Amino acid sequence: MSNAHLPRRALLAGATAVALGAATGTARAARPPSLWREFTRTPLTHPQIPYIGRAGYRGGATRFTRPRTVADVTEYGAVPDGTTDCAPAINRAIAAAGRAGGGTVTIPPGTFRIDDVIRIGDSNVVLRGAGSGRTTLYATKNLTELIGAYGSRYGGDKSSWSWAGGLLWLAPRARYDSLTAAIKARAWPFEGWTGNRRDEWTTLTTVAPARQGSWTVTVADASALRPGRLVLLRLADDPAHTLLQHMAGGGPGPASYVWDDKTKLTSYVPYEWPVRVTRVHGRRVTLERPLPLDLRPAWDPRLTTHAGELTGSGVEGLTLEAVETPQSPHLLDKGYNGVVLQCAYDCWVDDVTVRHVDNGFGLVAASACTLRRTRVTGRGSHHPYFCREGSHDNLIEDFTIEERTVPAPAGTQLHGINVEGLSSYNVWSRGDMRMGTFDSHRGLPFADVRTDITVNNDGRHGGDASAGPLFGARFTHWNIRVTNGRAGLMRIDGLAPYSATVGLNEVREFDQIDVPDFTGDLHSRLELYGTTDAVRPRNLHEAQRALLR
């Protein structure tokens, strides 16, 4: 780690004091938990708590870019009468902004019917309504009607629209075209950064061994690297699955776990982590974020190209309302989905509500994105939020899942805030979950944080057995208020290896009782259990942001 990123003791003490002094609580919270004091001494390498202080758009920026307005959708024929199909006009306006090199496309107040997917496929394009209470996109069709049935690449009759695709879809134009062409051809694709068959990449350089938390790496050849370039750090596993063991914290438990038959999990490897280069000095390359894992020769660490990214784009100030239909049976969603960011980096969603959707907000192979002031409401949804296919370093804050407006039909399922598929260093912060659960959907997600959230825990988590463990290492639940007292992945000290549960009221088990995936000592920590909103700092993400700024 370079000296430029080391916190000074005075700064650290001041940040801690601010984090503690800004909150009020019970007498029991007069001192922070020992875990917090430990973390401030080793924030980048703490064994139980990940460093997520730079999660989100532009390292956690509090303001989004506001590019100049280049078009209004009404100039392209959109009419806010609720009956005219405005999707062609809106998409023409967005495409024009892309051809102009970026800019903001505005949507005035009113209800605009859309009979097609709204697509943002060019970087630096922002779609801006007049506010989520003033501008509505009324979607009449689902993704099965518009694109076709989308089967699971793992077989069976599951609809992949249960965890992919949005009626407002932010993805690089070429990536969107290749995905939808594959779906129409029934050649079910991989959905991440390296193409439908994970073969659209070339090596830029190999990387020397380094430790988790390092900001700077040594490369064999820096000639293709420059400040500002987005690259993929690619880590392959070895036959003994030591990379997966490392993601789970290492030790006897992960070493004795049977990995080979977890075919869905092993299909997620190699681990692909997008990151920007900030400095190149000889063969020394500084990255925008510290390394999420060790780099070991057995994992063939290298920096590579990828299929392209969407960056600097966003959607804000609108409601996306689907025509109200009954929720589909579990895993048979037709695709009345909300907003999805895919192969996106440094993008955002702000002040957006989705209503009557199968699945609300999706992060699919998306990294360094922020979802702020988002809301899921209406007749109920399968995944209100989903985060999968190797999504990293995202921030979901000030989010709300409202109570469903109609009873759940038989055979449906409700998850909540989902994370899976080796997704890491994501943060859910300041949430109001009036239904749902903390859905770790197997696939070994690791180093993710949920903090300062109130939840009526009435959902259930999912995940195929072939997807492997529920949790990897450094998973943290910090200041969680469970209003109905139900456990269900709230208290994770008995499930997640090398992880932490801090500041949780008492919870009790119910009919979905999980057993740990790994044997032996999990090295997981529990502090301030049985308290309500007593832990200080109150919000782990906000406190971490102050440490290394």
Side-chain angles (χ1 to χ4, degrees):
M1 184 176 70
S2 67
N3 291 336
H5 294 282
L6 286 171
R8 292 179 299 176
R9 289 185 182 275
L11 175 61
L12 189 59
T16 303
V18 168
L20 296 175
T24 60
T26 66
R28 190 171 179 179
R31 295 183 64 197
S34 60
L35 270 166
W36 174 250
R37 296 194 297 272
E38 292 174 13
F39 178 83
T40 60
R41 292 192 290 270
T42 59
L44 300 180
T45 58
H46 192 275
Q48 278 90 15
I49 298 176
Y51 174 67
I52 40 79
R54 291 184 62 82
Y57 168 82
R58 293 193 174 179
T62 57
R63 294 188 178 184
F64 303 120
T65 301
R66 295 291 191 266
R68 65 186 181 91
T69 298
V70 296
D72 187 286
V73 297
T74 58
E75 298 168 356
Y76 288 78
V79 181
D81 60 5
T83 58
T84 302
D85 176 18
C86 298
I90 295 172
N91 282 326
R92 284 196 299 269
I94 292 170
R99 290 192 298 271
T104 296
V105 175
T106 58
I107 312 178
T111 297
F112 296 80
R113 173 174 167 164
I114 56 171
D115 295 348
D116 200 357
V117 178
I118 301 302
R119 304 178 296 279
I120 298 179
D122 295 294
S123 293
N124 303 310
V125 173
V126 177
L127 182 64
R128 180 188 297 164
S132 59
R134 303 182 67 201
T135 296
T136 297
L137 302 181
Y138 180 65
T140 63
K141 296 185 178 181
N142 58 58
L143 294 169
T144 300
E145 295 175 278
L146 296 171
I147 297 172
Y150 187 5
S152 170
R153 67 177 184 251
Y154 301 105
D157 59 356
K158 299 175 183 177
S159 170
S160 288
W161 296 129
S162 296
W163 55 78
L167 292 169
L168 208 169
W169 201 332
L170 289 78
R173 183 185 303 277
R175 193 73 189 93
Y176 175 88
D177 290 345
S178 68
L179 281 165
T180 53
I183 294 165
K184 291 174 182 177
R186 303 181 68 82
W188 314 132
F190 284 90
E191 298 160 293
W193 288 97
T194 50
N196 295 346
R197 294 181 298 277
R198 300 194 76 178
D199 59 357
E200 296 179 38
W201 61 276
T202 59
T203 297
L204 297 170
T205 180
T206 56
V207 186
R211 296 299 301 273
Q212 172 205 327
S214 299
W215 297 80
T216 301
V217 296
T218 300
V219 302
D221 178 7
S223 61
L225 304 178
R226 65 182 186 280
R229 179 167 189 175
L230 186 71
V231 297
L232 286 188
L233 172 65
R234 182 180 173 90
L235 298 178
D237 204 2
D238 60 8
H241 299 297
T242 59
L243 176 60
L244 294 175
Q245 293 177 40
H246 178 54
M247 293 173 177
S256 62
Y257 183 79
V258 178
W259 299 96
D260 282 327
D261 63 351
K262 308 304 186 296
T263 53
K264 189 171 183 179
L265 171 63
T266 55
S267 77
Y268 299 147
V269 182
Y271 176 78
E272 296 171 340
W273 183 63
V275 65
R276 287 197 196 281
V277 172
T278 60
R279 185 170 185 264
V280 179
H281 183 69
R283 294 192 299 118
R284 298 283 288 170
V285 178
T286 303
L287 306 175
E288 185 176 32
R289 289 175 169 82
L291 288 177
L293 295 164
D294 289 351
L295 308 186
R296 301 179 187 173
W299 306 331
D300 189 24
R302 57 186 60 219
L303 301 180
T304 77
T305 64
H306 52 282
E309 75 267 16
L310 186 74
T311 189
S313 294
V315 56
E316 54 191 39
L318 58 84
T319 289
L320 174 61
E321 179 176 345
V323 59
E324 186 171 1
T325 60
Q327 186 178 345
S328 296
H330 190 219
L331 298 176
L332 297 178
D333 296 337
K334 296 180 177 65
Y336 288 107
N337 293 352
V339 182
V340 164
L341 286 73
Q342 187 161 7
C343 297
Y345 193 97
D346 278 338
C347 293
W348 76 91
V349 178
D350 185 27
D351 182 29
V352 173
T353 294
V354 294
R355 181 177 292 120
H356 303 320
V357 293
D358 293 338
N359 302 281
F361 294 90
L363 296 160
V364 181
S367 293
C369 295
T370 295
L371 276 60
R372 182 178 298 158
R373 297 189 298 164
T374 55
R375 182 178 298 264
V376 181
T377 185
R379 50 85 156 158
S381 53
H382 182 189
H383 297 98
Y385 291 81
F386 56 97
C387 178
R388 56 178 297 272
E389 205 77 7
S391 290
H392 315 291
D393 303 300
N394 297 295
L395 172 61
I396 301 95
E397 62 181 359
D398 299 309
F399 67 95
T400 301
I401 303 173
E402 291 191 358
E403 187 175 357
R404 64 190 314 137
T405 54
V406 296
T412 60
Q413 186 63 273
L414 165 66
H415 296 309
I417 51 175
N418 156 275
V419 61
E420 59 181 283
L422 301 184
S423 296
S424 62
Y425 293 87
N426 301 290
V427 184
W428 291 260
S429 170
R430 297 195 304 266
D432 179 9
M433 296 176 59
R434 301 169 197 173
M435 67 176 192
T437 194
F438 290 178
D439 175 37
S440 293
H441 215 83
R442 300 198 176 273
L444 198 68
F446 67 94
D448 297 300
V449 169
R450 295 148 174 164
T451 183
D452 193 10
I453 298 172
T454 300
V455 52
N456 178 44
N457 186 26
D458 63 354
R460 301 170 70 90
H461 76 80
D464 292 341
S466 65
L470 282 165
F471 301 97
R474 298 186 306 286
F475 224 101
T476 301
H477 289 176
W478 186 284
N479 191 19
I480 306 300
R481 303 168 292 274
V482 184
T483 59
N484 61 349
R486 202 175 85 164
L489 301 191
M490 299 293 125
R491 177 177 170 174
I492 58 174
D493 59 296
L495 292 173
Y498 287 95
S499 292
T501 305
V502 182
L504 171 72
N505 57 286
E506 290 190 16
V507 292
R508 62 187 180 276
E509 295 291 352
F510 71 114
D511 62 309
Q512 188 176 37
I513 299 175
D514 293 294
V515 297
D517 294 291
F518 304 110
T519 58
D521 187 356
L522 295 178
H523 301 281
S524 198
R525 303 276 292 275
L526 177 69
E527 285 198 67
L528 288 175
Y529 178 64
T531 67
T532 300
D533 204 25
V535 62
R536 297 297 180 265
R538 190 175 193 269
N539 186 292
L540 183 62
H541 171 250
E542 292 174 0
Q544 284 199 23
R545 286 187 74 248
L547 292 182
L548 300 183
R549 289 288 168 177

